[in-house]
Amino acid sequence: MQNKGLIKFFAILFALVSIYQLSFTFVANSVKSEAKAFAGDNPDKELKYLDSIGKEKVLNLGFTDFTYNEVKNKQLNKGLDLEGGINVILQISVKDVLKGLANNSKNPVFNKSLADATANLEGNKTYLNKFFEAFEANSKGSVKLASPDIFANRSLQGEGGVDFQMSDAQVQKVIKKKVDESIESAYKVLRERIDKFGVTQPNIQKLGETGRILVELPGAKDVDRIKKLLGGKAQLEFWETFKIEEIGNFLVASNEALKKTEIKKTETKAVAKDSLNALLTDNAKDSVDTKKGNNPLFDKMLGQGGGPVLGYFAPKDTAAVNAYFKRADIRVLLGADQHNAKFVWSKPTTIKDAKGKDIEAVELYALKGNRDNVPAMSGGVVTDAKDTFDQLGKPAVSMQMNSQGAKVWEELTGRAFSQKGYIAIVLDNIVYSAPGVTSGPIAGGRSEITGSFDVAETKDLANVLNAGKLPASADIIQSTVVGPSLGQAAIDAGTISSVLGFLLVCLWMVFYYGKAGWYANLALLLNLLFLFGIMASFGFVLTLPGIAGIVLTLGTAVDANIIIYERAKEELREGKSLSEAVVASYGWHGAMRSIIDANVTHVLTGAILFIFGTGPIKGFALTLLIGIVTSLFTSIFIARIFIDRNIAGKGDLTFSTNITKNWFTNFHFDFIKIKKFTYIFSSIVVVVSLVSIFFVNGLDEGVDFVGGRTFQVKFEKPVDATVVSDELSAAFGTPVEAKILGDDDQLKITTKYKIKEDGVAIDEEVNQILYKSLTKYFPNTSYEKFINSFDGKKIGVVQQSKVGASISEDIKTNSYWAVLGAMAVIFLYLMISFRKWQYSLGAIAAVAHDVIFVLGIYSLCYKFMPFHMEMDQHFIAAILTVIGYSMNDTVIVFDRIREFIIGNRKGSFEDIVNASINTTLSRTLNTSLMMIIVLLTMFIFGGESIRGFIFAMLIGIVVGTYSSLFIATPVLVDTISSDDKHTIEDKHNKAA
């Protein structure tokens, strides 16, 4: 081997760099272990300990040293499925941005186009493009985007803006730029909010041009708090309010009007209805029972209001009340000065019911709106905000306004003082407080927000006000929450499966190849060091599927060695010396061509998986791609160094043991002869699979494909999944699926409740319903402990995820394109490499057979298998991996066919193909056996969350081995023209 010294130099240098990079991970883990031991089970104490030693030196390398904070930043990053934490994808509302750019235009074509774009949004189509398409369809040339009442408004005029003369195409370019600027602004606001929140190693990135932003917060535990922090628009507004005596007559009139449409025709008792006060005062308590069912609006009241508060209602009734007040026949009852009234709610608070029991309620307010629906003053005037405490020692937020805001604030408070009115402080359409003004106008622009806050809420509120408001709403369309205890369990499962897989592969290599197997194992060990070193050096994230990718690398890393060793054995049988056999096996016409072709197909499928995958799937694809590169380097160059050293020394190297030396030699099976039987068998399997998929069972589509929320809930003792499913279905008012996940005391709960509605309030509502429905199973557990993550958590929600309807369409579309794209790219590559389309057709026929076979197994078995077999991103990753490995086996056989055709192999074309399969059978079965060993190890020990994912690959590898032997090559034989066959046979007969 040439340049052996240079290869040794780079190998040693690479190893030293890898050890250096990984040393930070070892030290960081050691410090964390000390902190955990010091703190016991107190996570706050552990965090304070780590903060206190952040600037202390914890690693001394002699020539330099590092503090704990520096070590922590250089360690190998773990994904949320290993570390625990929160991952969300936010969708910045392009619709809101467009409405803002158009100054909330009332143009009917504009607004219809916005609505149509929302209704007709498809997978992988941006909202902006759908809006432009809808506008063109709706306007039919009658209205231009550059109309004065759309985008050619005063705020968009000027340089880089929109003028009246622009065509729609020109306006589209401007609007695209403005939307991009708004998304960039949202990204910066979110970045500032997160930086101030204090999470270790947060990750925030824009996802292409989709208007989506990925946020990963390792170690974050307070689910609702994080979602409010990220999803809150921070739109602070100050509104004047109506008082209850001003709006009371409207409420009474509304209640009377609603009786005509809302009350069912049942026998009810009479009720006094002369005024709102008569219905709500203490004197009316005796008649509560008599009015129940008779008063659609007042029946929902939990208590009477006062001042600016119109009444108290249960949170679950707010949607119904909102619907009442939006009705035209109800709004017409408003007084002349009340037509623009805006009804809003407070944040939840606690009140006493008639029996003195604490209940949750929200306050109803009526804000003094106007024609443009804008507040008396916006929060844009706030220049600084701080969390503080009010005069009663309760948490509050103090604000300082700019000079313009100070002037308006003085006028506003002066008017409230003289009229004995109230000013509502509204954040993201929620009233936080509505104080009166008792000491005259407030000058200087300083004010305070008070309300039912806790300290964390005031810190977050000050944070978002200082960071600024988002240019549009940011809806959480996908989220995953993983508890730290679940992450540790994943690490343990991944470690066990990795170690076992490594040992089994090493044992087999030594058993089958003897001393050469030891050299392959040394190369494999170095390969793992390089793989982890690269991940640590470039800051890549290790995920649970990523660990699966590493374990798979163990099986594929020895594949190149197997190809080389099998070729060397063939060369030795032909009478060559050991050194000659080694040189020939490492040559291009030996094993190298096959190795390159096989691994190119791997790289292509891995790259497609990385491009179309998201989150953990990218981690799987990344480790797979890195593993391919490092395994090629170590298998081809490092193992070769050991082999050459042996040849130069003892020269006693063998590529087999006494037991295995004659395995698969002189093996002559006629694979082509039985093709009719294999065609029939495979056709039956394909037909049965397709019938099951499309007409009988279908596929168990997970939330990744259809949208929904999933909760992994750990109970104190085993529960009946059917009973829990029925209870939750009744609570949510929609079917809820509950399946046992692993042990009988753990369920995977899936619901599509309000999945098409976005907003932090909806997410919290779902969490609350889940908690209240399962309270009897968790009698001593609070809502916070049930929902949120914390170290040592043993019961409650240990993982939760949400996939919104819009992103699920994108995931499904990406999945289809990923599979079709992988097959198309491989078809083209093989056609270029082998220069005949028949090779590509044979390979693709085998791949299509494998994919349908795996889908069929999942369709037929998902209803009764003891583990989950859902169609999700992990399943698509498994399918793409199967495609790659199926191609690997097929390409090795095809390479041998090409070699024999170029050479002087005797016999007919069918004989050449049979000889090609038989002479590569040892390599095919060895590689497949390696893969099956590591996959079985992961299936048994890798953890419940990836069991379905591993099962798909396990079935796929077995079927892929079969198809490469019994489908790909027969299809090649049947599609090669008779003329080509005769040409090949004539050449070989002459050579004979």
Side-chain angles (χ1 to χ4, degrees):
M1 180 174 64
Q2 296 179 344
N3 300 318
K4 189 182 300 182
L6 188 62
I7 292 171
K8 285 182 180 178
F9 170 76
F10 278 115
I12 293 171
L13 180 63
F14 202 178
L16 290 174
V17 170
S18 297
I19 292 170
Y20 168 77
Q21 290 292 344
L22 292 172
S23 65
F24 298 109
T25 303
F26 293 129
V27 172
N29 288 338
S30 176
V31 174
K32 287 178 183 176
S33 297
E34 292 174 3
K36 195 174 289 291
F38 171 79
D41 292 328
N42 189 330
D44 293 330
K45 189 176 180 181
E46 179 184 343
L47 187 60
K48 288 179 181 178
Y49 175 85
L50 292 174
D51 287 339
S52 68
I53 65 167
K55 296 182 180 180
E56 291 184 15
K57 306 291 184 183
V58 295
L59 176 60
N60 189 338
L61 297 177
F63 58 91
T64 185
D65 49 30
F66 299 91
T67 64
Y68 172 68
N69 286 339
E70 291 171 332
V71 166
K72 180 177 64 176
N73 292 331
K74 290 177 178 290
Q75 68 178 331
L76 178 64
N77 297 323
K78 294 195 290 284
L80 298 186
D81 50 0
L82 299 178
E83 180 79 7
I86 298 175
N87 168 305
V88 302
I89 294 179
L90 296 154
Q91 177 73 66
I92 303 302
S93 175
V94 177
K95 180 179 181 180
D96 284 358
V97 175
L98 292 175
K99 290 171 72 174
L101 292 173
N103 280 344
N104 293 308
S105 172
K106 302 295 191 296
N107 184 288
V109 173
F110 173 77
N111 285 289
K112 185 176 188 307
S113 300
L114 291 175
D116 289 349
T118 302
N120 301 323
L121 197 60
E122 302 169 353
N124 278 350
K125 286 277 190 177
T126 66
Y127 181 89
L128 188 58
N129 286 335
K130 292 300 292 184
F131 166 75
F132 289 146
E133 290 175 8
F135 187 88
E136 184 178 352
N138 291 326
S139 68
K140 296 184 175 64
S142 62
V143 181
K144 293 177 61 180
L145 289 171
S147 298
D149 62 340
I150 304 181
F151 291 125
N153 54 62
R154 186 174 300 174
S155 61
L156 273 181
Q157 289 179 0
E159 186 177 354
V162 177
D163 62 52
F164 310 125
Q165 307 302 319
M166 282 185 169
S167 66
D168 281 358
Q170 291 173 316
V171 175
Q172 287 178 12
K173 292 180 180 178
V174 176
I175 298 304
K176 284 181 179 179
K177 182 180 178 183
K178 295 293 183 183
V179 169
D180 288 342
E181 289 173 355
S182 295
I183 293 169
E184 180 65 27
S185 172
Y187 171 80
K188 291 177 179 177
V189 169
L190 288 168
R191 163 64 71 186
E192 192 167 347
R193 290 186 188 181
I194 292 165
D195 287 344
K196 292 183 179 180
F197 187 73
V199 178
T200 303
Q201 293 180 309
N203 174 36
I204 175 171
Q205 55 183 284
K206 291 183 291 182
L207 301 179
E209 298 180 355
T210 60
R212 292 171 182 164
I213 297 174
L214 168 69
V215 179
E216 291 182 319
L217 304 176
K221 299 176 175 65
D222 194 329
V223 178
D224 291 337
R225 182 184 174 193
I226 290 291
K227 288 185 176 180
K228 287 176 182 176
L229 176 75
L230 297 176
K233 191 176 178 182
Q235 184 167 319
L236 181 66
E237 298 171 335
F238 302 88
W239 295 79
E240 295 177 279
T241 72
F242 289 104
K243 291 176 279 191
I244 190 171
E245 54 265 31
E246 296 172 323
I247 209 81
N249 288 335
F250 163 73
L251 296 179
V252 173
S254 298
N255 185 66
E256 292 301 308
L258 289 168
K259 287 181 180 181
K260 300 175 183 178
T261 58
E262 300 301 309
I263 295 179
K264 296 179 181 178
K265 295 181 179 179
T266 56
E267 184 179 350
T268 55
K269 297 179 181 179
V271 58
K273 58 179 182 181
D274 50 335
S275 71
L276 169 65
N277 192 51
L279 285 166
L280 297 179
T281 55
D282 291 340
N283 295 331
K285 284 181 180 177
D286 293 338
S287 65
V288 169
D289 290 336
T290 66
K291 73 182 181 69
K292 283 293 181 185
N294 244 358
N295 298 277
L297 179 61
F298 296 145
D299 282 352
K300 291 180 170 57
M301 276 192 182
L302 301 177
Q304 73 178 63
V309 179
L310 307 184
Y312 293 86
F313 293 79
K316 66 181 179 65
D317 290 329
T318 56
V321 175
N322 287 340
Y324 292 160
F325 290 152
K326 286 179 181 178
R327 284 171 43 171
D329 60 323
I330 300 300
R331 291 201 68 86
V332 76
L333 303 174
L334 287 162
D337 61 339
Q338 300 170 352
H339 283 313
N340 294 311
K342 181 178 179 180
F343 294 93
V344 294
W345 304 94
S346 72
K347 62 179 304 233
T349 186
T350 301
I351 65 172
K352 302 283 187 183
D353 65 6
K355 298 179 180 178
K357 182 182 178 182
D358 286 341
I359 56 172
E360 189 178 58
V362 288
E363 301 163 343
L364 177 64
Y365 292 84
L367 308 182
K368 292 184 178 180
N370 49 50
R371 184 184 302 173
D372 297 323
N373 197 31
V374 295
M377 188 172 75
S378 72
V381 300
V382 175
T383 58
D384 184 45
K386 294 180 180 178
D387 56 295
T388 182
F389 295 90
D390 63 15
Q391 295 177 344
L392 300 176
K394 295 182 178 180
V397 176
S398 65
M399 301 177 298
Q400 179 61 53
M401 304 173 187
N402 59 25
S403 57
Q404 180 184 359
K407 181 180 179 181
V408 176
W409 183 243
E410 187 172 0
E411 294 173 357
L412 193 60
T413 53
R415 189 159 57 247
F417 172 73
S418 62
Q419 298 176 0
K420 300 188 184 304
Y422 301 86
I423 299 173
I425 300 173
V426 183
L427 182 69
D428 291 340
N429 215 36
I430 295 174
V431 177
Y432 276 75
S433 62
V437 181
T438 58
S439 56
I442 301 174
R446 180 162 288 280
S447 186
E448 192 173 69
I449 302 177
T450 59
S452 55
F453 295 111
D454 58 32
V455 174
E457 286 177 316
T458 56
K459 286 183 180 294
D460 291 345
L461 182 53
N463 178 357
V464 296
L465 290 176
N466 285 322
K469 74 171 186 177
L470 290 170
S473 60
D475 297 321
I476 297 175
I477 57 173
Q478 183 174 353
S479 65
T480 302
V481 182
V482 181
S485 57
L486 197 64
Q488 186 57 50
I491 292 174
D492 295 340
T495 302
I496 292 171
S497 62
S498 299
V499 172
L500 279 176
F502 177 77
L503 291 176
L504 290 171
V505 169
C506 289
L507 286 171
W508 178 259
M509 290 300 290
V510 172
F511 168 76
Y512 198 88
Y513 292 106
K515 184 175 285 189
W518 281 110
Y519 295 155
N521 291 341
L522 289 172
L524 180 60
L525 192 61
L526 200 58
N527 171 54
L528 290 177
L529 175 64
F530 290 167
L531 197 158
F532 281 109
I534 289 174
M535 294 192 70
S537 299
F538 290 95
F540 297 142
V541 178
L542 181 65
T543 63
L544 184 57
I547 291 178
I550 290 171
V551 179
L552 279 176
T553 299
L554 300 178
T556 57
V558 295
D559 181 49
N561 288 120
I562 291 173
I563 297 173
I564 293 167
Y565 291 175
E566 290 299 324
R567 187 61 185 231
K569 287 159 69 174
E570 291 176 11
E571 300 293 341
L572 287 170
R573 291 190 198 108
E574 292 180 4
K576 290 183 181 178
S577 66
L578 179 60
S579 60
E580 289 172 339
V582 168
V583 170
S585 64
Y586 276 93
W588 178 254
H589 294 292
M592 284 305 105
R593 189 168 188 171
S594 297
I595 291 172
I596 296 303
D597 278 336
N599 280 279
V600 165
T601 59
H602 267 170
V603 170
L604 290 174
T605 52
I608 288 172
L609 188 56
F610 184 79
I611 292 168
F612 287 98
T614 59
I617 301 306
K618 277 188 182 290
F620 172 75
L622 186 64
T623 52
L624 207 58
L625 288 169
I626 296 172
I628 291 169
V629 176
T630 56
S631 64
L632 283 176
F633 176 75
T634 55
S635 299
I636 295 172
F637 297 109
I638 302 302
R640 175 73 182 276
I641 289 173
F642 291 119
I643 290 172
D644 286 349
R645 185 177 179 181
N646 180 279
I647 294 172
K650 294 180 179 180
D652 61 347
L653 180 65
T654 60
F655 293 96
S656 60
T657 62
N658 291 330
I659 299 174
T660 62
K661 64 181 179 180
N662 293 319
W663 287 14
F664 299 105
T665 58
N666 301 315
F667 193 80
H668 303 292
F669 183 79
D670 194 342
F671 288 89
I672 304 303
K673 185 177 181 180
I674 64 168
K675 66 180 181 180
K676 290 183 179 179
F677 300 103
T678 57
Y679 279 168
I680 292 171
F681 169 74
S682 292
S683 298
I684 292 171
V685 169
V686 168
V687 169
V688 169
S689 297
L690 292 175
V691 168
S692 178
I693 293 167
F694 291 106
F695 303 105
V696 183
N697 289 334
L699 290 162
D700 186 14
E701 291 187 277
V703 295
D704 281 356
F705 282 8
V706 296
R709 292 177 173 84
T710 299
F711 300 87
Q712 187 173 330
V713 182
K714 186 78 171 177
F715 292 78
E716 291 182 336
K717 55 186 179 180
V719 293
D720 188 326
T722 304
V723 172
V724 172
S725 176
D726 291 342
E727 292 171 347
L728 291 174
S729 297
F732 281 101
T734 186
V736 176
E737 182 182 70
K739 294 181 178 178
I740 292 175
L741 184 65
D743 300 327
D744 291 345
D745 61 351
Q746 186 167 252
L747 295 183
K748 182 179 181 181
I749 296 168
T750 305
T751 175
K752 295 182 178 66
Y753 178 76
K754 290 189 177 180
I755 195 59
K756 292 187 177 180
E757 298 181 35
D758 294 314
V760 176
I762 299 296
D763 293 341
E764 191 169 353
E765 178 188 347
V766 173
N767 289 346
Q768 289 281 2
I769 294 174
L770 181 71
Y771 169 68
K772 290 174 181 176
S773 303
L774 299 178
T775 300
K776 69 177 184 179
Y777 299 102
F778 303 92
N780 302 314
T781 304
S782 65
Y783 169 78
E784 287 73 20
K785 288 188 176 181
F786 176 78
I787 289 293
N788 294 327
S789 301
F790 55 86
D791 291 324
K793 183 174 185 177
K794 296 180 179 178
I795 59 171
V797 177
V798 293
Q799 181 175 0
Q800 60 174 288
S801 62
K802 166 192 170 184
V803 180
S806 60
I807 200 170
S808 67
E809 282 295 320
D810 290 355
I811 292 171
K812 184 183 289 188
T813 303
N814 283 342
S815 298
Y816 292 148
W817 281 114
V819 174
L820 294 175
M823 295 173 71
V825 168
I826 289 173
F827 182 91
L828 291 173
Y829 172 75
L830 293 181
M831 191 164 65
I832 293 170
S833 179
F834 289 89
R835 293 182 172 84
K836 281 189 178 293
W837 60 267
Q838 289 90 343
Y839 287 93
S840 296
L841 181 63
I844 293 302
V847 167
H849 166 274
D850 299 343
V851 171
I852 294 172
F853 196 109
V854 175
L855 289 171
I857 290 291
Y858 267 60
S859 176
L860 291 165
C861 302
Y862 77 84
K863 292 184 178 180
F864 59 83
M865 278 291 193
F867 52 88
H868 296 290
M869 302 176 72
E870 292 181 347
M871 284 278 291
D872 56 15
Q873 291 188 83
H874 292 82
F875 180 81
I876 297 302
I879 290 293
L880 287 171
T881 307
V882 166
I883 290 174
Y885 290 114
S886 179
M887 285 295 96
N888 193 318
D889 284 341
T890 303
V891 165
I892 295 299
V893 177
F894 283 0
D895 266 322
R896 183 55 60 90
I897 293 172
R898 176 171 55 186
E899 179 188 341
F900 282 176
I901 289 174
I902 294 172
N904 297 315
R905 192 82 184 188
K906 297 179 182 180
S908 65
F909 183 73
E910 285 78 3
D911 292 335
I912 293 173
V913 172
N914 269 320
S916 301
I917 300 174
N918 282 294
T919 54
T920 56
L921 194 60
S922 178
R923 178 266 162 199
T924 299
L925 296 182
N926 257 319
T927 299
S928 297
L929 182 62
M930 292 295 96
M931 294 301 304
I932 291 169
I933 286 173
V934 295
L935 287 170
L936 274 175
T937 304
M938 279 191 288
F939 182 77
I940 296 169
F941 300 103
E944 185 66 35
S945 61
I946 61 171
R947 192 154 285 149
F949 165 61
I950 298 301
F951 183 73
M953 283 195 286
L954 189 58
I955 295 298
I957 295 301
V958 174
V959 176
T961 304
Y962 160 83
S963 67
S964 65
L965 300 175
F966 297 103
I967 301 297
T969 45
V971 169
L972 171 65
V973 170
D974 290 341
T975 54
I976 288 285
S977 68
S978 298
D979 291 341
D980 284 344
K981 289 180 182 178
H982 289 317
T983 301
I984 293 168
E985 290 167 356
D986 288 344
K987 172 190 171 185
H988 285 262
N989 289 333
K990 286 178 183 178

